[in-house]
Amino acid sequence: MSIVGNITPNDYEKFKSFLEKASGIMLGDGKQYLISSRLTRLLRDEGISSVSELLNALQRDQPHYLRDLVIDAMTTNETSWFRDRSPFDALINDVFPEWDKNGMRQYKIWSAACSSGQEPYTISMALSEYLASTTIKNLASMSIMATDISASMLVDAKRAEYDEGVLGRGLSSERKQQFFKPNAGRWLVADNIKRRVSFKEQNLLSSYDVLGNFDAIFCRNVLIYFTAERRSDILNRMASVLNPGGFLFLGASETVTGYSDAFEMIRSSSGVYYRLKD
Ligand SMILES: C[S@@+](CC[C@H](N)C(=O)[O-])C[C@H]1O[C@@H](n2cnc3c(N)ncnc32)[C@H](O)[C@@H]1O
């Protein structure tokens, strides 16, 4: 069943507005096909026959059961291990050595749109690689808080079990042997990597007060879906939960320029990232 033919221009505008308010995600013009490809199965499962009916159901929806399913289906969860390499090189070559020199402290990193877990687990792997290369062990108690708006992505992330094809996206065979153990045809993230990571549902549009403060934030490949106003708001609120001198890592096509004055750009041999201004 295709519902695309049934989406009137008015319903498309209403759906766009619902999605933007609920998740920050902006659907451009002419993206009716995305609604069709991503929501057809959900609408069928819920016995809903058109976008118009869905919009009515969303208005009655308490406590947001349908809203969460729609957001889940509409988000892009694309991710991979050591994605773009440079942020993880920067952790190993620049950030971890600097923190290590500062002495013993409980450092905290936030992976703010963690999808199915590859980003926070990669940060943990980068830490293990760094610890193996140094005699200073001040960072041994570092922790990683991983959050996402998508409940189903968080279930996958917490399970920490991936198939061969998923592992093939960004992991060398050495890292696979080092950081995973085989389990009935699938691969489990090793306990020492998993132990540092905790997960929590968090909409980037909501308050960050309950999360505490961080020494670095990874907010990668999610701001691109938001309006300029939302990007500014999110970046400025992230600045307010970063400890002095804290770091910010964005996706390869994302920038703070034009959205927030709270950060200075760092260009190191590992790549470009940001530091909270004094
Ligand atoms: C393309 S993935 C990026 C994953 C990872 N950061 C990376 O770079 O590989 C985008 C993630 O952002 C999440 N997301 C979208 N809107 C969000 C919001 N308002 N709050 C929190 N997470 C959101 C999606 O559920 C998805 O898992």
Side-chain angles (χ1 to χ4, degrees), residues 23 76-79 83 113 115 119 148-149 203-204 220-221:
S23 70
T76 301
N77 305 119
E78 169 74 17
T79 189
R83 186 172 186 177
S115 188
E119 183 175 277
D148 203 282
I149 196 174
N203 185 341
L204 287 173
R220 307 191 61 234
N221 304 303

Side-chain angles (χ1 to χ4, degrees), residues 11 41 70 75 252:
D11 283 347
R41 181 199 282 191
V70 170
T75 48

Side-chain angles (χ1 to χ4, degrees), residues 219-226 231 249-257 259 265 272 274:
C219 181
R220 307 191 61 234
N221 304 303
V222 62
L223 291 179
I224 34 169
Y225 301 109
F226 296 167
R231 290 179 198 186
F249 292 90
L250 299 180
S253 60
E254 295 164 327
T255 177
V256 302
T257 310
Y259 304 116
M265 187 189 280
V272 172
Y274 301 90

Side-chain angles (χ1 to χ4, degrees), residues 145-162:
M145 157 81 78
T147 63
D148 203 282
I149 196 174
S150 163
S152 69
M153 281 298 114
L154 289 168
V155 168
D156 288 353
K158 278 185 210 164
R159 192 179 297 127
E161 192 180 289
Y162 302 90

